mmCIF file of all heavy atoms in Angstrom:
data_model
loop_
_atom_site.group_PDB
_atom_site.id
_atom_site.type_symbol
_atom_site.label_atom_id
_atom_site.label_comp_id
_atom_site.label_asym_id
_atom_site.label_seq_id
_atom_site.Cartn_x
_atom_site.Cartn_y
_atom_site.Cartn_z
ATOM 1 N N PHE A 130 -29.984 5.512 95.092
ATOM 2 C CA PHE A 130 -28.708 6.239 94.754
ATOM 3 C C PHE A 130 -28.952 7.565 94.067
ATOM 4 O O PHE A 130 -29.771 7.562 93.096
ATOM 5 C CB PHE A 130 -27.793 5.289 93.914
ATOM 6 C CG PHE A 130 -27.380 4.062 94.605
ATOM 7 C CD1 PHE A 130 -28.212 2.870 94.451
ATOM 8 C CD2 PHE A 130 -26.225 3.921 95.393
ATOM 9 C CE1 PHE A 130 -27.806 1.754 95.046
ATOM 10 C CE2 PHE A 130 -25.824 2.796 95.907
ATOM 11 C CZ PHE A 130 -26.665 1.645 95.805
ATOM 12 N N GLY A 131 -28.369 8.581 94.505
ATOM 13 C CA GLY A 131 -28.517 9.878 93.915
ATOM 14 C C GLY A 131 -28.629 10.999 94.912
ATOM 15 O O GLY A 131 -28.802 10.697 96.158
ATOM 16 N N ASP A 132 -28.623 12.214 94.461
ATOM 17 C CA ASP A 132 -28.718 13.382 95.358
ATOM 18 C C ASP A 132 -29.724 14.376 94.729
ATOM 19 O O ASP A 132 -30.161 14.046 93.602
ATOM 20 C CB ASP A 132 -27.362 13.999 95.559
ATOM 21 C CG ASP A 132 -27.354 14.865 96.791
ATOM 22 O OD1 ASP A 132 -28.327 15.030 97.424
ATOM 23 O OD2 ASP A 132 -26.182 15.450 97.092
ATOM 24 N N GLY A 133 -29.959 15.428 95.374
ATOM 25 C CA GLY A 133 -30.957 16.399 94.814
ATOM 26 C C GLY A 133 -31.609 17.173 95.870
ATOM 27 O O GLY A 133 -31.432 16.939 97.076
ATOM 28 N N SER A 134 -32.507 18.128 95.513
ATOM 29 C CA SER A 134 -33.128 19.047 96.459
ATOM 30 C C SER A 134 -34.059 18.308 97.458
ATOM 31 O O SER A 134 -34.335 18.868 98.505
ATOM 32 C CB SER A 134 -33.871 20.092 95.653
ATOM 33 O OG SER A 134 -34.965 19.535 94.908
ATOM 34 N N LEU A 135 -34.612 17.147 97.035
ATOM 35 C CA LEU A 135 -35.508 16.455 98.000
ATOM 36 C C LEU A 135 -34.812 15.337 98.762
ATOM 37 O O LEU A 135 -35.452 14.688 99.606
ATOM 38 C CB LEU A 135 -36.602 15.725 97.136
ATOM 39 C CG LEU A 135 -37.475 16.683 96.259
ATOM 40 C CD1 LEU A 135 -38.423 15.849 95.430
ATOM 41 C CD2 LEU A 135 -38.293 17.653 97.079
ATOM 42 N N TYR A 136 -33.515 15.196 98.594
ATOM 43 C CA TYR A 136 -32.856 14.066 99.236
ATOM 44 C C TYR A 136 -32.963 14.054 100.807
ATOM 45 O O TYR A 136 -33.387 13.007 101.406
ATOM 46 C CB TYR A 136 -31.401 13.968 98.781
ATOM 47 C CG TYR A 136 -30.564 12.857 99.454
ATOM 48 C CD1 TYR A 136 -30.794 11.546 98.927
ATOM 49 C CD2 TYR A 136 -29.771 13.034 100.450
ATOM 50 C CE1 TYR A 136 -30.115 10.482 99.504
ATOM 51 C CE2 TYR A 136 -29.097 12.050 101.035
ATOM 52 C CZ TYR A 136 -29.250 10.742 100.574
ATOM 53 O OH TYR A 136 -28.563 9.737 101.137
ATOM 54 N N LYS A 137 -32.472 15.142 101.438
ATOM 55 C CA LYS A 137 -32.460 15.114 102.837
ATOM 56 C C LYS A 137 -33.851 14.906 103.499
ATOM 57 O O LYS A 137 -33.978 14.198 104.453
ATOM 58 C CB LYS A 137 -31.905 16.466 103.355
ATOM 59 C CG LYS A 137 -30.329 16.542 102.957
ATOM 60 C CD LYS A 137 -29.751 17.881 103.595
ATOM 61 C CE LYS A 137 -28.275 17.961 103.262
ATOM 62 N NZ LYS A 137 -27.717 19.221 103.833
ATOM 63 N N THR A 138 -34.834 15.614 102.931
ATOM 64 C CA THR A 138 -36.195 15.528 103.400
ATOM 65 C C THR A 138 -36.709 14.074 103.291
ATOM 66 O O THR A 138 -37.319 13.521 104.268
ATOM 67 C CB THR A 138 -37.215 16.395 102.681
ATOM 68 O OG1 THR A 138 -36.780 17.815 102.827
ATOM 69 C CG2 THR A 138 -38.598 16.326 103.198
ATOM 70 N N LEU A 139 -36.557 13.460 102.147
ATOM 71 C CA LEU A 139 -37.058 12.139 101.972
ATOM 72 C C LEU A 139 -36.262 11.050 102.725
ATOM 73 O O LEU A 139 -36.803 10.069 103.071
ATOM 74 C CB LEU A 139 -37.050 11.790 100.419
ATOM 75 C CG LEU A 139 -37.995 12.653 99.563
ATOM 76 C CD1 LEU A 139 -37.878 12.224 98.149
ATOM 77 C CD2 LEU A 139 -39.462 12.469 100.102
ATOM 78 N N LYS A 140 -34.929 11.302 102.902
ATOM 79 C CA LYS A 140 -34.133 10.394 103.681
ATOM 80 C C LYS A 140 -34.639 10.301 105.121
ATOM 81 O O LYS A 140 -34.776 9.188 105.678
ATOM 82 C CB LYS A 140 -32.711 10.812 103.582
ATOM 83 C CG LYS A 140 -31.754 9.872 104.353
ATOM 84 C CD LYS A 140 -30.305 10.344 104.279
ATOM 85 C CE LYS A 140 -29.350 9.479 105.095
ATOM 86 N NZ LYS A 140 -29.150 8.186 104.587
ATOM 87 N N LYS A 141 -34.941 11.517 105.678
ATOM 88 C CA LYS A 141 -35.393 11.558 107.029
ATOM 89 C C LYS A 141 -36.717 10.857 107.243
ATOM 90 O O LYS A 141 -37.008 10.283 108.133
ATOM 91 C CB LYS A 141 -35.485 13.073 107.473
ATOM 92 C CG LYS A 141 -35.861 13.253 108.895
ATOM 93 C CD LYS A 141 -35.821 14.782 109.248
ATOM 94 C CE LYS A 141 -36.229 15.019 110.709
ATOM 95 N NZ LYS A 141 -36.222 16.374 111.039
#
Side-chain angles (χ1 to χ4, degrees):
F130 297 89
D132 201 355
S134 63
L135 300 176
Y136 178 77
K137 290 183 179 179
T138 299
L139 295 179
K140 180 179 176 70
K141 184 176 180 180

